[in-house]
Amino acid sequence: MSNETLSNLLHEERRFPPSEEFAAHAVAKADLYEQAQADRLGFWDEQARALSWAQPWTQTLDWTNPPFAKWFVGGTLNVAYNCVDRHVEAGNGDRVAIHFEGEPGDTRTLTYAELQREVSKAANALTALGVQAGDRVAIYLPMIPEAIVSMLACARIGAPHSVVFGGFSSSALRSRIEDADARVVITADGGYRRGAPAALKPAVDEAVDGLDAVRSVLVVRRTGQDVAWTDRDVWWHEALEAADDVHEAQPFDAEHPLFILYTSGTTGKPKGILHTSGGYLTQAAYTHRNVFDLRPERDVYWCTADIGWVTGHSYIVYGPLANGATQVIYEGTPDTPHRGRFWEIVQKYGVTQLYTAPTAIRTFMKWGDDIPAEFDLSSLRVLGSVGEPINPEAWVWYRRVIGGDRTPVVDTWWQTETGAMMISPLPGVTAAKPGSAQVALPGIGIDVLDDEGHPVPNGSGGYLVLTEPWPSMLRGIWGDDERYKETYWSRFKGMYFAGDGAKKDEDGDIWLLGRVDDVMNVSGHRLSTTEIESALVSHPKVAEAAVVGATDETTGQAVCAFVILRGDAGYDESQADAVIKELRDHVAHEIGPIAKPRQVMVVAELPKTRSGKIMRRLLRDVAENRQVGDVTTLADSTVMDLIKQGLSTGK
Ligand code: WTA
């Protein structure tokens, strides 16, 4: 973000206080902040008591071996029991848990009682396949109810799941299966994407080829397309038909691993972020209830994320279901079969809370106000945003056009690593400021530090840190304690470094400014520059590659790649388009379509410092069509002229 945009942002004068009516009935009251301030751990104890524990904890937080935290020490619970069975036992078995809307328009409704039977059958089926507590299960599914059932079935038997986004390639899937040493993979023949079936099973076949540790592949039939079949494949519907629909859930330790979720870091190798049970569920449920002002008996909540991302874990599966919410899940894209699909869904189900990403909001803005105007959106009460900074204009549009100038908008900052929301206004309490995530949630400690680790004064920027351990914090990186310490806890002593830049405005409110490391944020998805560079260099024609995230109006950032081709690639300019296409497709194949560069530029040189480090800042200037900045530290200061000349003449 340029300094100019930044100072514009910080002069944002518009304020949106909650209406009196909303404030009077709000779930979250202002005294939450005082309670948490007065007794932070006591505050978290109280939040944890909203869950059902088999055995109470004896200690709220054990922080004697930082940065390895233990929350609710000695407590035991079953996460799936908390998300499903207890609602049935409380007499809410007939409440809808899931309204499923398939992309082709097929629908399915699951009540809590039905969900209980499905999850029980799936838990029995997994047990029959030999899955035991502690074994890892990989899940590679479209957004269908079976995705949620699978995750809960794993949680129920204490088998940590590793959900891999269905848009990732077979090699990305394979490396995640290998890293977690998964025993079973749950997938589908395919899912519907932009009006057509998109296959998933072939990617799994490729990914598990030769991996003997994978004992079974459970396959959900979704599209009915042909699939290749091997001895270890089992149809989901057959396995579940054979399974009993009653399953006794055993309690597990509060620190029992619940899931691993891979996320891009600054190196080529994705990090397996580890989350455990009691603290994670406590914070997911607490934030979901308070930030969305949830009234489970009458609300219809909808989060548009995919379960392949952490937002889907915490705010589709665990938070909402722990709270007994009724929710919508949607399989497809916002423009299939038409650009009003989201609004049609809101109208059809009477959605009360909508949680989506700034990229989607900016796209809807571009498509125009007329489209949402065709639908009745008056059921909406709270709008949420997550995944990237939301610019004030998009925020105001979201509130005005989607929220009828009436609904609070909550901009929620958090990460895969934090497990649940950390910074967000509270609807009914906070006077909202468009573009700012504003304040730490009650119970959370944050600050913005300068290079030396001192808190910056209001009006200044620096690095966002979390100053206190929190219940849903990651417990580490799967199999790599050193990397955990090094990545998050070494930059500032005793504090968690989030990797984001932030600024405090004159009121002390927080403005998120994007990543300060080599992680890009494209449409709210984290991508590592290094990972894409390695994918490019793995292509036989590429000698060297540098990747930058350039500002993009819609997707926030876009992947721009600069490549030097190998001398023996026999490249001449007439092939430029073909080579560029080949390289873009190669990245999509290696990592997934989300990582496909918007632009690939073939260059003769890359700008490097004398120590050989690529100066991405200068490449970003080129990618964003800006005057190239200070080149004095380059080993060869003429390189940038060469690159610009080459690009303008198409060389
Ligand atoms: C960015 C997604 C600004 C941030 C939940 C963070 C945001 C990364 C916001 C985590 C927000 C997320 N405002 N930036 N409200 N929410 N981010 O792990 O850079 O996929 O570090 O988790 O997204 O991405 P992740």
Side-chain angles (χ1 to χ4, degrees):
M1 197 175 296
S2 72
N3 282 334
E4 197 184 331
T5 341
L6 188 58
S7 56
N8 284 344
L9 278 182
L10 297 175
H11 289 114
E12 176 59 59
E13 298 286 346
R14 290 168 288 192
R15 295 291 178 276
F16 297 86
S19 70
E20 263 172 45
E21 146 101 48
F22 194 105
H25 300 108
V27 170
K29 303 282 189 228
D31 60 8
L32 282 182
Y33 293 104
E34 286 141 40
Q35 280 171 28
Q37 187 82 41
D39 177 9
R40 206 177 80 86
L41 294 181
F43 172 83
W44 284 119
D45 277 337
E46 194 177 321
Q47 305 314 321
R49 281 195 284 270
L51 301 178
S52 174
W53 296 76
Q55 190 125 60
W57 57 98
T58 50
Q59 190 187 1
T60 309
L61 168 66
D62 176 356
W63 191 237
T64 51
N65 179 28
F68 298 92
K70 288 192 181 127
W71 281 86
F72 309 115
V73 183
T76 64
L77 80 173
N78 186 287
V79 168
Y81 172 83
N82 270 277
C83 292
V84 185
D85 305 57
R86 66 170 176 149
H87 307 310
V88 179
E89 288 170 15
N92 294 319
D94 292 337
R95 183 185 295 165
V96 172
I98 299 168
H99 287 293
F100 166 67
E101 177 87 14
E103 200 191 68
D106 58 322
T107 60
R108 238 176 105 188
T109 302
L110 281 169
T111 63
Y112 273 95
E114 286 165 337
L115 186 61
Q116 184 185 34
R117 286 194 289 276
E118 288 301 299
V119 172
S120 299
K121 282 196 276 182
N124 284 322
L126 287 172
T127 306
L129 290 174
V131 180
Q132 292 178 357
D135 288 349
R136 272 81 57 206
V137 174
I139 298 177
Y140 186 68
L141 281 171
M143 276 300 291
I144 53 178
E146 287 81 357
I148 296 178
V149 172
S150 302
M151 290 164 74
L152 291 171
C154 289
R156 195 172 186 94
I157 61 173
H161 53 70
S162 160
V163 181
V164 180
F165 174 55
F168 275 127
S169 67
S170 63
S171 55
L173 174 62
R174 184 185 179 94
S175 66
R176 284 158 177 77
I177 292 173
E178 275 185 312
D179 188 80
D181 192 18
R183 295 303 145 96
V184 169
V185 181
I186 307 180
T187 187
D189 47 1
Y192 290 96
R193 206 83 195 141
R194 297 190 193 284
L200 281 175
K201 176 77 168 38
V204 177
D205 293 340
E206 219 178 302
V208 301
D209 187 35
L211 291 187
D212 293 336
V214 177
R215 286 192 299 252
S216 321
V217 176
L218 256 176
V219 188
V220 176
R221 189 148 69 197
R222 166 68 184 136
T223 58
Q225 61 203 117
D226 284 342
V227 287
W229 209 251
T230 69
D231 286 348
R232 63 178 154 192
D233 295 337
V234 181
W235 281 113
W236 167 273
H237 59 270
E238 289 177 2
L240 262 69
E241 253 162 46
D244 195 343
D245 66 359
V246 176
H247 178 271
E248 186 78 31
Q250 300 301 318
F252 292 98
D253 193 274
E255 286 298 336
H256 188 79
L258 180 62
F259 66 84
I260 304 166
L261 183 59
Y262 287 84
T263 187
S264 296
T266 49
T267 69
K269 190 172 179 275
K271 302 176 284 203
I273 303 301
L274 174 67
H275 282 287
T276 59
S277 303
Y280 170 79
L281 196 63
T282 296
Q283 196 175 330
Y286 148 77
T287 50
H288 179 256
R289 200 166 49 243
N290 286 287
V291 173
F292 289 116
D293 193 53
L294 185 78
R295 249 58 73 99
E297 45 319 313
R298 54 164 218 247
D299 280 337
V300 180
Y301 162 88
W302 181 24
C303 167
T304 68
D306 188 284
I307 48 132
W309 309 108
V310 74
T311 307
H313 283 60
S314 305
Y315 297 103
I316 293 177
V317 183
Y318 294 111
L321 296 177
N323 289 333
T326 294
Q327 69 177 319
V328 172
I329 65 166
Y330 172 55
E331 180 186 25
T333 53
D335 54 355
T336 310
H338 58 81
R339 291 178 165 184
R341 187 68 191 268
F342 270 28
W343 319 122
E344 186 179 68
I345 293 175
V346 169
Q347 172 179 291
K348 176 173 175 186
Y349 295 100
V351 170
T352 45
Q353 288 96 345
L354 178 70
Y355 195 26
T356 195
T359 298
I361 299 166
R362 288 191 293 264
T363 305
F364 298 137
M365 251 174 104
K366 212 164 54 185
W367 290 347
D369 299 11
D370 302 356
I371 298 175
E374 286 170 37
F375 300 89
D376 178 5
L377 306 181
S378 61
S379 56
L380 289 167
R381 295 201 301 113
V382 182
L383 301 177
S385 172
V386 61
E388 33 172 338
I390 178 166
N391 41 312
E393 286 327 306
W395 192 107
V396 170
W397 183 90
Y398 193 28
R399 183 187 146 104
R400 180 175 59 79
V401 178
I402 306 306
D405 239 340
R406 179 188 74 245
T407 61
V409 172
V410 285
D411 175 14
T412 62
W413 179 91
W414 58 295
Q415 309 177 296
T416 304
E417 292 87 340
T418 68
M421 296 168 186
M422 304 294 282
I423 307 178
S424 169
L426 285 176
V429 178
T430 320
K433 239 180 226 185
S436 168
Q438 296 188 282
V439 284
L441 283 166
I444 300 300
I446 63 166
D447 210 336
V448 179
L449 306 182
D450 64 18
D451 274 315
E452 278 76 52
H454 304 303
V456 302
N458 287 354
S460 303
Y463 305 100
L464 181 70
V465 294
L466 305 173
T467 55
E468 303 278 358
W470 62 101
S472 64
M473 65 194 285
L474 75 166
R475 298 303 195 260
I477 294 177
W478 184 254
D480 203 342
D481 286 351
E482 273 315 304
R483 192 172 176 200
Y484 169 58
K485 289 193 243 176
E486 170 63 33
T487 310
Y488 305 105
W489 300 93
S490 64
R491 179 74 178 78
F492 300 107
K493 197 170 167 4
M495 298 200 198
Y496 172 93
F497 172 45
D500 278 34
K503 193 143 183 165
K504 294 180 191 166
D505 68 15
E506 295 302 339
D507 304 324
D509 281 329
I510 302 291
W511 294 74
L512 278 312
L513 304 176
R515 305 287 308 189
V516 294
D517 51 16
D518 289 336
V519 175
M520 290 171 288
N521 191 328
V522 179
S523 300
H525 301 322
R526 270 164 75 169
L527 296 170
S528 139
T529 50
T530 330
E531 202 180 348
I532 301 178
E533 285 166 4
S534 340
L536 283 165
V537 177
S538 75
H539 189 283
K541 287 194 178 131
V542 176
E544 247 189 291
V547 165
V548 297
T551 305
D552 183 281
E553 224 174 80
T554 307
T555 59
Q557 283 188 311
V559 180
C560 291
F562 294 80
V563 296
I564 303 179
L565 295 178
R566 292 168 74 121
D568 56 8
Y571 172 76
D572 79 60
E573 269 166 60
S574 65
Q575 303 156 337
D577 289 350
V579 171
I580 287 168
K581 178 171 186 309
E582 197 177 323
L583 295 182
R584 293 180 68 228
D585 290 345
H586 178 70
V587 174
H589 181 261
E590 287 299 302
I591 303 173
I594 45 164
K596 198 169 182 170
R598 179 185 72 183
Q599 260 171 302
V600 174
M601 290 168 264
V602 178
V603 294
E605 294 286 348
L606 288 171
K608 288 188 186 152
T609 60
R610 283 171 201 100
S611 61
K613 202 168 158 4
I614 293 174
M615 291 195 70
R616 291 201 179 77
R617 172 171 63 77
L618 300 177
L619 293 174
R620 213 170 291 129
D621 289 341
V622 175
E624 294 175 352
N625 290 320
R626 253 197 317 274
Q627 181 87 31
V628 173
D630 183 8
V631 295
T632 47
T633 51
L634 282 183
D636 173 359
S637 60
T638 60
V639 166
M640 289 316 293
D641 294 333
L642 219 88
I643 290 179
K644 283 198 309 182
Q645 251 169 37
L647 291 176
S648 61
T649 58
K651 274 185 200 136

